[in-house]
Amino acid sequence: LLPADAIVTSDSGSCANWYARDYQVKAGQRASLSGGLASMGAAVPYAIAAKFAHPTRPVVALVGDGAMQMNNMAELITIQKYWRRWTDPRLIVCVFNNQDLNEVTWEQRVMEGNPRYEASQDLPDVPYAKFAEMLGLTGIFVDTPDALAGAWAQALAADRPVVLEVKTDPEVAPLPPHVTLVQAKAFMSSMAKGDRGAGQVIADTARQLIGELLPHGER
């Protein structure tokens, strides 16, 4: 779906894991990630900078809801202030709304063997798409997989910047290419200690692992 000249930025957190796993940069595209210090809150500022440097190119920022609440929501005001200066107004902020500080949740599970600690990990359910509309931008909300492709098409055809809010499942593990025995043991330990939704987490993880072994058409 992404245009051949698209620029994609990613924030830190579990969205960076999915970005690294699943986004294949094509010739002519550019990609940027806060990979040095893994600082949260970089995706939308990076995207704004990309639009000023390349005002004729579409830009996509991938953001988790933790980083969105940290500072990226405020940067939507910056977008609203300047977007009319850009030859191509398309700047899509894709927010993964799972109401969880998901990267740390999975670090707790896989690195320490501890279950999810709700007091530190829960995030408020903020209506990001509606907030964008309040600013005069376009807001799109998606909560079913079947609607996602159409939502992206709508966002890429918009005449102004877009916040594409996608409701995602925090219990789907952002698996690395290779899982070590130590990581696997810690993960199972966290499940055994009463992690919420342990059955769903294990089932989704198994589905992912099996999917990696099957030919693409059989997944």
Side-chain angles (χ1 to χ4, degrees), residues 4 27 31 40 48 53 59 101 120 134 144 185 203 212:
M40 292 175 65
I48 293 170
V59 176
L101 288 170
S120 66
M134 288 174 57
T144 61
K185 286 182 176 179
E212 292 297 326

Side-chain angles (χ1 to χ4, degrees), residues 29-120:
Q29 295 179 345
R30 291 191 177 187
S32 183
L33 172 72
S34 175
L37 297 175
S39 302
M40 292 175 65
V44 178
Y46 282 8
I48 293 170
K51 287 301 296 186
F52 276 109
H54 303 281
T56 63
R57 299 177 66 166
V59 176
V60 174
L62 306 175
V63 189
D65 49 358
M68 195 67 181
Q69 292 181 25
M70 180 178 289
N71 69 300
N72 283 311
M73 286 185 73
E75 295 300 343
L76 296 179
I77 300 172
T78 306
I79 293 173
Q80 167 58 20
K81 180 178 179 180
Y82 291 111
W83 73 266
R84 291 174 182 83
R85 299 187 184 184
W86 303 327
T87 307
D88 184 332
R90 291 178 296 174
L91 192 165
I92 302 169
V93 178
C94 180
V95 185
F96 302 106
N97 181 357
N98 57 22
Q99 296 179 247
D100 183 49
L101 288 170
N102 203 235
E103 177 73 14
V104 177
T105 291
W106 283 100
E107 286 177 346
Q108 290 173 345
R109 287 167 169 165
V110 176
M111 298 176 68
E112 303 298 331
N114 293 324
R116 182 182 184 277
Y117 185 57
E118 295 187 12
S120 66

Side-chain angles (χ1 to χ4, degrees), residues 3-21:
D5 61 344
I7 300 172
V8 179
T9 71
S10 175
D11 222 291
S12 296
S14 60
C15 69
N17 297 331
W18 298 114
Y19 165 88
R21 269 188 47 171

